[in-house]
Amino acid sequence: MIFGAANSFAAIYLLSRGYTNSQIGLILALGNVFAVMVQPFMGDLGDRSKRLTVFNIMEGMGILLAVLMALLFIQKESSLALAITYMMTVGWIRILEPFCNALNGKMEERGAMINFGACRSVGSLCYALLTALLGVLVEKLGTDVLPIAGEIVTLLFLLSVVLVSKTFAGMKGDGKDRTASRGNGYMEERTTVTPEEANGRTAASHQNNDINLKEFIKRHPMFLFLSLGILGLFYGNNTVNIYMAQITAAVGGDSSDTGRIFSMLAFMEIPTMLLFSRINRRFPCRKLLKFSAVAFVFWIGSCTLAGTVATLMAAQIFQAFGFALFLPAVVKFIGDTMEKGEAIKGQTTFTAVATAGGIFASLLGGVILDLGGAKMLTAFGTIITIVGAVTVLLYVDKAEKEGLRYGTE
C-alpha cells in the first residue's frame, strides 16, 4: 500500500508539481540508484548484526518513511528539496521490500510455517483497493491526497511491524533445522542431488552461516547471471508501472482509469499468489520462473498493442502468470537454494536487480516519452523484456545446481 501511494502515482504527483517526464524519470532513477547502493549493505547488516534485529531495522525505516511522507505533503512546487525528498522516499521503499520477504524465513525459524503466496496476495488486494480509491480521489481532490494516504499506510505498517515483533519474541523455536520443510516438497523433485551433496550442504549450513558479501558473490556466479535476466524483466515491468498514467492517457484515459488499471493489475495477482503453494507442489520453482518470464513478454507486448482503455485493462490478465507467479517463485527459489546465512543477501540481490530495472526504466522511459510517446516506450520495453526472459531461461537451471552443489566444495 505504501508502494501504491508513493511509487504507482509518482508520475501523476510529480507532473502536478511542475516536473517534465524526463525530470520525473531522473528523480525516480536516482531514488532507485540510492536503493541499489544501500540494499546490499542493509542486507548484510540484517544477516550479521548481533545488536539489531530485522524488526529493529524495519521499524527505523518505517519511521523515516513517515517523516518523508509528511515532507511531501508540505511541499507544493517543484524544487531541489522536493526532488530529493521524493528520491529518498522511493529509495527507502525499495530498500524495505526484501526485509518484508525475509520475515518469511525468520518466522519459520521459530516454527511458524508461513504461506507466503497467501500473505502476499493480501498485499495485492489492499494495493488494488487503495489504487482504485486514489485514482478517484486524485481526479476529484487533487494530488495532495497521495502523501496523506502514504502517511496513513506507513503508520499502519509501523504498527504491524511492532505487533509481529512482539509475536515473534513470544515464540519459542524447537531447535530443529527447518531447511527441508521450507522446500514444501520441492527438494524431493530434484533428481540431481546426491547423498554426498546433501551431506556437504548440511555441513556447510553449520559452518558457513555467517558469510560476507564477497564470499556470496564468489559462491553464486550463475545466480548473478540469472539476476541480469531478472533485471531485463523488471525493466519492462517498471516501464509500465512507472508510466502507466502516460500509457493510459495515450489511449484516451484519465487518472480514474489509471487507478482502475492499477487495481485490475493487482487483482490479477491474488488468485495466483493464493494458490502458489499448491502450484509449487506440482511444479518446481525453476519451471515456474521460466513460465512467468515468458508471461512478462506477453504482458508488456499486449500493453504495447492496446489501443483503448478497455484493451489496456484486458492486457493486465497476463499479470496473473507473470509478476504474480514470478515473485513468490523467486523468493522461494532463493530460500531453497541458499544457506541460512545468505538468505537476506539473496533477497536483497534480487530486489537490487529488480530496482536496477527501475533505474533504467525511469531514466530511459522519461526521455523516450518526450521524444517518441507512449507506444515507443512500451515497444522498447518489450524488446528488453524479451532479452531478460531468454537470459532467465538459460541460467535458472544452472543457478539451481550451483546453489545445491557449493556446500560440497
Side-chain angles (χ1 to χ4, degrees):
M1 293 176 77
I2 296 173
F3 187 91
N7 291 48
S8 296
F9 285 85
I12 292 175
Y13 174 86
L14 292 172
L15 283 171
S16 73
R17 265 36 178 189
Y19 295 96
T20 66
N21 287 320
S22 296
Q23 290 171 334
I24 292 170
L26 180 61
I27 292 170
L28 298 179
L30 290 175
N32 286 316
V33 167
F34 172 74
V36 169
M37 292 174 62
V38 175
Q39 274 169 339
F41 300 101
M42 294 296 292
D44 197 45
L45 177 66
D47 273 331
R48 303 176 70 187
S49 176
K50 305 300 182 185
R51 298 180 61 185
L52 295 175
T53 68
V54 172
F55 299 102
N56 296 146
I57 296 171
M58 293 175 70
E59 287 165 4
M61 286 192 282
I63 292 170
L64 179 58
L65 276 174
V67 173
L68 291 169
M69 293 292 182
L71 291 174
L72 288 178
F73 177 73
I74 64 177
Q75 298 179 81
K76 305 297 183 181
E77 297 180 355
S78 61
S79 65
L80 179 60
L82 176 56
I84 293 174
T85 303
Y86 216 95
M87 179 195 75
M88 294 289 289
T89 303
V90 170
W92 281 113
I93 292 172
R94 290 292 190 185
I95 294 167
L96 188 57
E97 288 176 17
F99 285 88
C100 294
N101 293 341
L103 285 184
N104 185 58
K106 283 292 179 183
M107 298 301 287
E108 287 182 352
E109 288 176 13
R110 296 289 178 92
M113 304 309 294
I114 306 298
N115 186 331
F116 180 84
C119 294
R120 180 58 179 78
S121 69
V122 175
S124 295
L125 174 61
C126 294
Y127 172 93
L129 297 174
L130 181 65
T131 51
L133 176 62
L134 287 178
V136 175
L137 291 178
V138 167
E139 194 68 25
K140 292 184 176 181
L141 304 176
T143 56
D144 281 347
V145 301
L146 295 172
I148 294 174
E151 187 70 58
I152 293 170
V153 295
T154 300
L155 294 176
L156 290 173
F157 168 80
L158 271 170
L159 176 62
S160 70
V161 173
V162 171
L163 293 175
V164 174
S165 177
K166 290 182 177 180
T167 301
F168 182 80
M171 297 169 65
K172 294 182 179 180
D174 54 15
K176 296 180 180 179
D177 184 357
R178 297 185 178 273
T179 303
S181 66
R182 283 207 304 272
N184 195 24
Y186 181 41
M187 292 293 290
E188 288 78 0
E189 298 178 32
R190 296 202 183 101
T191 59
T192 58
V193 185
T194 66
E196 291 77 12
E197 287 178 322
N199 291 334
R201 185 169 169 79
T202 302
S205 70
H206 292 290
Q207 297 171 4
N208 299 305
N209 278 344
D210 187 23
I211 68 167
N212 58 36
L213 193 59
K214 182 179 179 181
E215 182 66 18
F216 174 81
I217 294 172
K218 182 180 177 181
R219 288 182 173 189
H220 296 283
M222 292 299 104
F223 177 72
L224 297 181
F225 281 113
L226 173 64
S227 297
L228 292 177
I230 295 173
L231 189 153
L233 296 181
F234 277 79
Y235 175 90
N237 183 71
N238 281 285
T239 292
V240 176
N241 280 285
I242 293 170
Y243 296 107
M244 182 64 83
Q246 290 92 328
I247 295 170
T248 304
V251 295
D254 56 20
S255 296
S256 295
D257 294 316
T258 300
R260 283 191 285 269
I261 291 171
F262 273 133
S263 184
M264 173 69 174
L265 187 150
F267 269 119
M268 295 310 303
E269 298 176 359
I270 296 172
T272 303
M273 291 186 173
L274 277 174
L275 297 173
F276 177 76
S277 293
R278 293 186 180 182
I279 296 171
N280 189 215
R281 290 191 193 106
R282 297 194 60 185
F283 304 100
C285 287
R286 65 184 184 277
K287 291 184 178 180
L288 297 179
L289 290 174
K290 292 176 182 179
F291 179 79
S292 57
V294 175
F296 267 105
V297 176
F298 281 94
W299 174 58
I300 190 170
S302 298
C303 290
T304 303
L305 296 174
T308 64
V309 172
T311 53
L312 182 59
M313 185 169 289
Q316 308 316 310
I317 292 172
F318 288 104
Q319 185 79 346
F321 312 104
F323 179 83
L325 186 60
F326 192 90
L327 179 62
V330 75
V331 169
K332 190 168 184 300
F333 179 84
I334 292 169
D336 287 341
T337 59
M338 293 185 184
E339 297 296 332
K340 178 181 176 182
E342 304 172 313
I344 299 180
K345 277 186 274 293
Q347 298 296 349
T348 52
T349 299
F350 157 62
T351 308
V353 296
T355 305
I359 294 171
F360 295 115
S362 300
L363 281 175
L364 295 176
V367 175
I368 294 172
L369 266 175
D370 286 337
L371 293 177
K375 288 298 179 185
M376 181 180 290
L377 172 74
T378 51
F380 184 76
T382 301
I383 294 171
I384 300 299
T385 304
I386 291 172
V387 174
V390 171
T391 306
V392 169
L393 293 175
L394 290 174
Y395 285 100
V396 67
D397 289 335
K398 296 177 181 178
E400 179 190 71
K401 292 178 182 178
E402 170 187 75
L404 295 172
R405 185 174 60 242
Y406 77 79
T408 66
E409 296 177 352

